[in-house]
Amino acid sequence: MLTRRTFLGAAGAAPFAVAAQEPARRTRLAVVTTEWRDRSHAWHMAERFIAGYPVRGRWHRPAVDVVSAYVDQFPQNDLSRGRAKEAGFTIYPSVAAALRRGTDRLAVDAVLIIGEHGTYPDNEFGQKKYPRYEFFKQVADVFRKDGAARPVFNDKHLSWNWDWAKEMVDTAKELRIPFLAGSSLPVTFRMPAIELPLGAAVEELMCVAFGGVDSYDFHALEVIQCMAERRKGGETGVRAVQALRGEAVWKAQAAGTWAAGGWDAALFEACLCRSQTLAQPPTYSHRYPTAAQVREWVRNPVAYRIEYADGTKATMLLLNGLVTDFTFAAKLAGRAEPLSVLFYLPPVPNVVYSAALMAQAEETFRTGVPPYPVERTLLTTGLVAAGCRSLAQDGRRLETPHLAVRYDPPRESRFWRD
């Protein structure tokens, strides 16, 4: 099992020179991205290291300089060339060239990988084949050849391919790469600002969210996982996943309990009662919807039913038309009412939630110590893939022995509180 102590020990034993930045030295960052346009993830994240971001009532300017980039695609509304001119960095024709900056040796201190958006094919399960693995592999090849490891942040899930995702984590361990990945949801604001108690006896969890499969399901699963990992015994992996769509979701909803094929109705109510975007009939507000209204407003519901190896159960619901936010609820042993919380996402254009995520990346870049284990994102990567496969197989329950991912959670969740 990976613990923080063993992780730090492994990092300290690195055979390569991991960049441990002196406080006065600015970190040289290479950005490797699919595309860079308005509202893209490069816009969300890479630009935090160009323009800074607000923290506790002041404007924080990271001691990080974007010095190079590799951009895979240039749509008509490309921003990368303009940003390069504005910030004074160079766009190179390959990942290796961006990391070496036109020389024959590694010439950056950290790498930001953003494999989201752009024109890429889907696999047979409807997953977009973003080249996150290919980007990481090219970065790791430079580290291996040049005998140096540098911190890497990977945006969102690791890959659409489970074997590749596992290889990425294994390669990071082999080369002692400080590796952080994932979603902004675990570190954004929460309303109320609460933790799931570390070591709590958790029976069942739920996230009600919106968006599409192989995209927003990942965010919702990271909501669940950043809470689930705090349960008694830490993370021990997932035994099985079943994904439902359409009428099968309403049938499960009506079942009322997990044992009957559904989920705890009290968790669903708790999630909706935390939502700030709950749909309403015309001229009404603050009305709890009827079952008939939920069915009317949500045309294509999706649910993932997740069975953890230790017996804990979790449900992820994508209910477009009912909500446009992410809420969470958990049933804890010995507690009558569910613990519930809204994972709050401030609106465009400021989207401070991406700043919250880049604050974690910045810390990793500057210290060489990721604030939470990449195994969290490895597990949610596998859950997305399993969910997509179950949907493609008409909701078949899939055994997932490969998702026996074990790790200890960080003591502090790192979500923004003020």
Side-chain angles (χ1 to χ4, degrees):
M1 179 184 294
L2 179 72
T3 64
R4 186 170 179 81
R5 177 178 295 176
T6 57
F7 175 83
L8 293 176
F16 298 156
V18 177
Q21 300 297 315
E22 297 295 333
R25 179 182 169 186
R26 297 185 64 83
T27 297
R28 301 167 298 172
L29 177 64
V31 176
V32 177
T33 186
T34 47
E35 67 175 23
W36 194 328
R37 57 164 174 79
D38 187 43
R39 305 302 195 265
S40 70
H41 279 214
W43 175 88
H44 273 281
M45 298 176 189
E47 296 188 16
R48 300 298 183 184
F49 299 104
I50 296 174
Y53 51 88
V55 180
R56 299 185 181 91
R58 63 181 179 84
W59 200 264
H60 172 64
R61 298 187 181 277
V64 177
D65 296 319
V66 177
V67 295
S68 64
Y70 169 75
V71 182
D72 200 45
Q73 297 180 359
F74 296 89
Q76 188 173 359
N77 59 344
D78 171 68
L79 292 176
S80 65
R81 297 181 180 94
R83 297 297 193 257
K85 183 177 180 180
E86 173 189 355
F89 64 85
T90 301
I91 299 174
Y92 289 91
S94 70
V95 172
L99 268 61
R100 293 182 174 126
R101 300 173 62 199
T103 72
D104 61 356
R105 300 290 297 174
L106 180 64
V108 298
D109 303 310
V111 182
L112 174 61
I113 296 176
I114 304 171
E116 183 80 1
H117 302 298
T119 303
Y120 298 92
D122 292 343
N123 70 2
E124 65 270 33
F125 305 111
Q127 293 180 274
K128 190 68 66 179
K129 296 167 72 171
Y130 288 121
R132 299 178 186 124
Y133 166 78
E134 293 86 344
F135 286 169
F136 179 85
K137 186 173 176 61
Q138 292 172 67
V139 168
D141 284 347
V142 171
F143 291 171
R144 195 187 303 274
K145 290 175 183 176
D146 293 0
R150 299 291 185 261
V152 174
F153 177 84
N154 178 92
D155 175 41
K156 289 194 72 175
H157 37 317
L158 299 174
S159 174
W160 57 270
N161 182 310
W162 164 259
D163 291 335
W164 290 356
K166 183 66 166 57
E167 181 186 331
M168 291 166 72
V169 172
D170 291 344
T171 298
K173 290 179 180 178
E174 175 197 350
L175 300 182
R176 305 296 194 266
I177 300 169
F179 192 26
L180 185 67
S183 165
S184 58
L185 269 296
V187 293
T188 192
F189 299 105
R190 297 180 189 175
M191 300 175 65
I194 58 174
E195 297 264 30
L196 192 147
L198 191 63
V202 179
E203 296 177 358
E204 190 172 340
L205 311 102
M206 175 177 287
C207 177
V208 175
F210 72 109
V213 169
D214 190 44
S215 56
Y216 277 53
D217 54 352
F218 172 74
H219 292 303
L221 291 167
E222 288 255 301
V223 165
I224 290 173
Q225 192 54 39
C226 76
M227 297 296 225
E229 68 189 18
R230 299 178 62 80
R231 68 193 186 276
K232 184 178 180 180
E235 188 50 64
T236 56
V238 169
R239 177 187 301 125
V241 176
Q242 180 185 27
L244 308 173
R245 192 194 298 272
E247 189 61 32
V249 175
W250 304 136
K251 182 178 179 181
Q253 175 88 345
T257 66
W258 184 277
W263 39 82
D264 188 334
L267 296 182
F268 184 71
E269 180 177 330
C271 283
L272 295 198
C273 290
R274 289 294 186 188
S275 174
Q276 294 189 348
T277 65
L278 186 60
Q280 299 291 313
T283 77
Y284 286 93
S285 69
H286 301 286
R287 298 289 183 104
Y288 191 86
T290 66
Q293 287 171 330
V294 173
R295 280 174 169 258
E296 177 186 355
W297 297 335
V298 181
R299 297 297 185 182
N300 188 29
V302 171
Y304 292 178
R305 284 168 36 90
I306 300 162
E307 302 172 34
Y308 285 90
D310 64 359
T312 306
K313 310 296 192 295
T315 304
M316 183 221 69
L317 290 160
L318 296 178
L319 300 178
N320 294 304
L322 184 65
V323 298
T324 54
D325 53 17
F326 293 80
T327 54
F328 170 86
K331 181 179 180 182
L332 308 183
R335 176 170 171 157
E337 296 296 324
L339 178 149
S340 62
V341 60
L342 166 70
F343 283 66
Y344 178 64
L345 301 178
V348 170
N350 292 318
V351 289
V352 179
Y353 53 87
S354 61
L357 182 59
M358 287 303 94
Q360 314 309 314
E362 180 185 349
E363 179 177 330
T364 304
F365 296 159
R366 295 288 294 166
T367 68
V369 181
Y372 41 86
V374 73
E375 281 78 6
R376 174 198 293 167
T377 304
L378 177 63
L379 184 53
T380 52
T381 294
L383 290 173
V384 170
C388 290
R389 281 158 175 74
S390 178
L391 285 174
Q393 298 176 42
D394 297 322
R396 186 166 71 88
R397 180 181 180 274
L398 302 180
E399 299 287 339
T400 55
H402 60 288
L403 297 185
V405 178
R406 304 176 68 92
Y407 67 92
D408 286 338
R411 181 162 294 276
E412 298 294 333
S413 291
R414 296 302 189 97
F415 70 90
W416 278 17
R417 300 170 185 265
D418 55 8

